[in-house]
């Protein structure tokens, strides 16, 4: 049995392994991956700390070459890595391959950024003094990533961390070690010096906790649940450490009477159900005005009937399985909650059997939902969406903003006036007009407001805000 090991101080280590199970076929073991201990995590942090002085002063051409070679290898292996991703996470092969390409684009973007690092030179308020403002790397960064984007989210945290001269301790979600291991292997072979990137696979309660408890992490960037995010925040304040949190969403998609029905239905089907609804940018609240409500529900239901739920690797599958039995139970519980709250299950919601044993769930669409129901307030993280009927645009906007979250928001309309007003007044970090609320670009800021996010934005040039610290230096001429 081959064990994919942890990477600590440039060495592959660890033998205590656990199997990585395919949610489309629970008889399929994707591979065996080492489980790090708290002691391993401490050693990884020490290795990253030791590697920091040299890496923080490394030449930009060295960093550029490593990030560029990583991008090139990921892109060249997109079919193979896409298959690995689909096998371990359960999104469809086209979705998975698209995510792999996105990861390659992110490494390419930050390879380019290494060559564009700049500062400012400004005159002092006092005569004969010069002031220069530069960005320096933060130090050792802890990276904790979720299972739903096993390669893109690690890429959008690791690439900027390394680009700006930080060293890294990377803890991927326990369910998806495969893509994480592949990224670490590629970066290691691309020539990253020992200890600059350390991979510690394993449980949050063990490895994640050891990271939270360390005084040697200068920053933690985290994507995952709201509850864990709070723990990251509290522990980080304790250690006077910078933190960046990307957590849940309960994203609204407003559909107005004047919408192009086909555009609205496609945006809602994609936002609510693609990637099995397992995206923090998914839209689970479809807020629809009276005049189009019945036509929209009929057309969306017809669209959902055309979606094949099946093995992620099978050609023609539109929706893969739910990631594991725990998530499936959570989704089913919320479907029961929706019914008991008085929403009408207009379509789907049944567990399905397929050729291979997996966690298959029919997309579920509720109608007659109210915005104060639990299914409208709590993140379900599955293929479950609810239609909320409203009178007009004003009520739609008020309902859209009436949520503890604020990650993304969408509107389907042909009115420039309403689209413009919604862009300006939506209390979300990302707003989409006539587009799904999920599926973002790789080179522009990503993040939200309220309970969805904390700290500066991820991705694009805005990533520098988290991964660097500003220095202002004064010199007497
Ligand atoms: C996307 O919608 O393209 O965990 C990305 C998530 C987000 C990423 C969404 N951080 O679902």
């Amino acid at each position: 049995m081959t064990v994919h090991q942890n990477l600590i101080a440039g060495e592959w280590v660890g033998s205590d392994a656990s199997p990585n199970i395919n949610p489309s076929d629970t008889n399929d073991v994707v591979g065996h991956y080492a489980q790090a201990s708290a002691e391993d995590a401490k050693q990884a942090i020490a290795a990253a700390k030791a590697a920091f002085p040299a890496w923080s002063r490394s030449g930009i051409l060295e960093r550029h070459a490593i990030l560029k070679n990583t991008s090139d290898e990921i892109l060249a292996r997109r079919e193979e890595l896409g298959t690995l991703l689909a096998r371990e996470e359960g999104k469809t092969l086209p979705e998975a391959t698209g995510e792999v390409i996105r990861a390659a684009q992110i490494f390419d973007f930050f390879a380019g950024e290494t060559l564009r690092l700049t500062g400012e030179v400004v005159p002092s308020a006092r005569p004969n003094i010069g002031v220069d403002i530069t960005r320096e790397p933060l130090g050792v960064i802890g990276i904790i990533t979720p299972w739903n984007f096993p390669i893109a989210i690690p890429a959008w945290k690791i690439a900027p961390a390394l680009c700006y001269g930080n060293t890294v301790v990377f803890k991927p979600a326990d369910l998806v070690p495969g893509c994480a291991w592949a990224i670490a292997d590629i970066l290691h072979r691309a020539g990253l010096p020992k200890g600059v990137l350390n991979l510690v696979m394993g449980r949050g309660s063990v490895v994640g906790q050891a990271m939270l408890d360390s005084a040697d992490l200068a920053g933690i960037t985290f994507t995952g649940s709201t509850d864990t995010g709070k723990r990251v925040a509290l522990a980080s304040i304790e250690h006077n450490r910078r933190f960046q949190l990307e957590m849940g969403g309960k994203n609204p998609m407003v559909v107005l009477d004047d919408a192009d029905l086909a555009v609205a239905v496609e945006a809602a089907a994609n936002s609510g159900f693609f990637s099995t609804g397992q995206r923090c940018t998914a839209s689970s609240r479809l807020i629809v005005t009276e005049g189009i409500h019945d036509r929209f529900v009929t057309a969306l239901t017809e669209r959902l009937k055309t979606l094949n739920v099946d093995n992620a690797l099978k050609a023609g599958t539109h929706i893969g399985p739910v990631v594991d039995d725990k998530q499936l139970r959570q989704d089913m519980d919320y479907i029961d909650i929706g019914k008991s709250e008085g929403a009408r299950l207009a379509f789907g919601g049944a567990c399905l059997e397929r050729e291979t044993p997996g966690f298959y769930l029919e997309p579920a669409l509720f109608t007659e939902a109210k915005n104060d129901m639990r299914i409208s307030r709590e993140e379900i993280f599955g293929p479950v969406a609810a239609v909320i009927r409203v009178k007009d645009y004003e009520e739609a906007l008020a309902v859209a903003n009436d949520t503890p979250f604020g990650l993304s928001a969408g509107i389907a309309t042909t009115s420039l006036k309403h689209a413009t007003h919604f862009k300006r007044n939506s209390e979300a970090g990302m707003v989409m007009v006539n587009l799904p609320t999920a599926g973002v670009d790789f080179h522009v800021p990503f993040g939200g407001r309220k309970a969805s996010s904390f700290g500066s934005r991820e991705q694009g040039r805005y990533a520098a805000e988290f991964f660097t610290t500003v220095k202002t230096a004064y010199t007497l001429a």
Side-chain angles (χ1 to χ4, degrees):
M1 183 179 87
T2 311
V3 174
H4 295 82
Q5 295 172 297
N6 288 308
L7 181 64
I8 299 176
E11 307 293 332
W12 293 105
V13 294
S15 52
D16 183 12
S18 93
N20 180 358
I21 305 292
N22 178 350
S24 298
D25 179 358
T26 52
N27 294 324
D28 178 31
V29 176
V30 180
H32 289 87
Y33 291 85
Q35 291 274 312
S37 63
E39 189 48 42
D40 292 332
K42 283 184 194 155
Q43 284 181 17
I45 294 167
K49 192 177 175 188
F52 180 71
W55 181 250
S56 65
R57 291 183 179 81
S58 59
I60 55 173
L61 288 185
E62 181 184 0
R63 290 186 223 168
H64 175 267
I66 290 168
L67 295 174
K68 183 75 176 86
N69 290 342
T70 299
S71 169
D72 290 348
E73 181 170 338
I74 292 172
L75 197 60
R77 292 171 55 193
R78 60 186 174 275
E79 301 295 333
E80 172 214 336
L81 292 172
T83 304
L84 171 66
L85 199 166
R87 258 176 96 197
E88 72 174 348
E89 198 271 348
K91 65 181 69 173
T92 67
L93 191 53
E95 288 172 334
T97 308
E99 190 188 325
V100 171
I101 293 169
R102 194 198 297 201
Q105 289 166 328
I106 291 165
F107 276 102
D108 184 51
F109 178 89
F110 285 105
E113 284 302 283
T114 59
L115 307 182
R116 284 188 285 269
L117 298 173
T118 57
E120 288 177 80
V121 178
V122 298
S124 165
R126 293 162 283 163
N128 300 326
I129 292 176
V131 180
D132 54 78
I133 305 163
T134 51
R135 286 187 178 276
E136 295 185 354
L138 207 55
V140 181
I141 305 284
I143 295 181
I144 304 179
T145 57
W147 50 260
N148 65 331
F149 283 85
I151 196 161
I153 293 180
W156 86 44
K157 294 182 191 291
I158 293 171
L162 299 177
C163 161
Y164 298 116
N166 302 281
T167 57
V168 171
V169 177
F170 168 35
K171 186 232 166 294
D174 210 12
L175 282 174
V176 290
C179 289
W181 190 90
I183 292 194
D185 171 54
I186 293 168
L187 280 161
H188 179 60
R189 284 185 293 95
L192 209 56
K194 283 182 195 314
V196 173
L197 174 85
N198 303 275
L199 171 71
V200 277
M201 300 174 286
R203 302 193 66 81
S205 55
V206 177
V207 182
Q209 193 59 46
M211 290 166 72
L212 297 195
D213 292 342
S214 170
D216 288 327
L217 294 183
I220 294 189
T221 172
F222 166 83
T223 300
S225 72
T226 311
D227 287 347
T228 309
K230 274 194 187 134
R231 287 173 47 205
V232 173
L234 290 173
S236 297
I237 287 167
E238 187 75 27
H239 291 289
N240 197 23
R241 162 210 301 150
R242 189 180 288 188
F243 57 100
Q244 176 182 54
L245 311 175
E246 216 282 284
M247 302 171 288
K250 196 70 198 175
N251 308 298
M253 160 72 66
V254 170
V255 178
L256 297 185
D257 285 356
D258 64 22
D260 177 322
L261 187 63
V263 167
V265 166
E266 218 34 52
N270 179 323
S271 303
F273 305 102
F274 289 5
S275 298
T276 322
Q278 298 176 147
R279 296 185 282 192
C280 57
T281 44
S283 176
S284 46
R285 292 190 299 141
L286 309 173
I287 301 164
V288 186
T289 49
E290 273 165 0
I292 197 170
H293 179 276
D294 294 356
R295 278 183 296 139
F296 173 79
V297 168
T298 305
L300 180 57
T301 307
E302 287 308 310
R303 178 71 177 103
L304 295 184
K305 286 181 190 160
T306 68
L307 299 176
N308 299 326
V309 180
D310 208 330
N311 190 310
L313 295 177
K314 203 163 151 181
T317 295
H318 301 110
I319 298 183
V322 171
V323 74
D324 68 358
D325 55 345
K326 183 164 162 257
Q327 182 63 49
L328 181 62
R329 253 181 287 129
Q330 176 167 319
D331 298 349
M332 298 299 293
D333 284 350
Y334 272 108
I335 292 170
D336 286 342
I337 289 167
K339 287 188 208 158
S340 69
E341 288 179 307
R344 191 173 85 83
L345 186 60
F347 179 81
C351 282
L352 302 172
E353 297 222 340
R354 292 293 179 255
E355 241 168 80
T356 48
F359 309 109
Y360 300 107
L361 177 62
E362 210 179 10
L365 182 69
F366 280 104
T367 55
E368 312 307 333
K370 299 280 174 269
N371 199 45
D372 58 3
M373 292 178 174
R374 283 183 63 196
I375 56 163
S376 301
R377 301 209 79 77
E378 298 168 19
E379 186 174 52
I380 300 172
F381 223 64
V384 185
V387 177
I388 301 170
R389 188 199 300 257
V390 291
K391 195 163 74 280
D392 53 16
Y393 169 73
E394 282 68 33
E395 189 186 353
L397 175 66
V399 169
N401 285 337
D402 177 10
T403 169
F405 295 104
L407 187 57
S408 62
I411 188 167
T413 179
T414 51
S415 153
L416 181 62
K417 184 175 147 225
H418 286 140
T420 306
H421 190 270
F422 188 77
K423 277 196 276 186
R424 197 159 294 161
N425 292 283
S426 165
E427 293 166 9
M430 298 175 291
V431 181
M432 282 71 167
V433 178
N434 293 319
L435 288 166
T437 56
V440 299
D441 280 1
F442 65 90
H443 65 307
V444 288
F446 179 95
R449 301 182 186 176
K450 301 198 264 186
S452 289
S453 304
F454 188 93
S456 52
R457 290 288 185 262
E458 304 196 77
Q459 299 209 117
R461 305 196 82 168
Y462 283 68
E465 296 295 327
F466 181 76
F467 291 101
T468 64
T469 179
V470 171
K471 180 172 280 175
T472 313
Y474 298 79
T475 312
L476 179 64

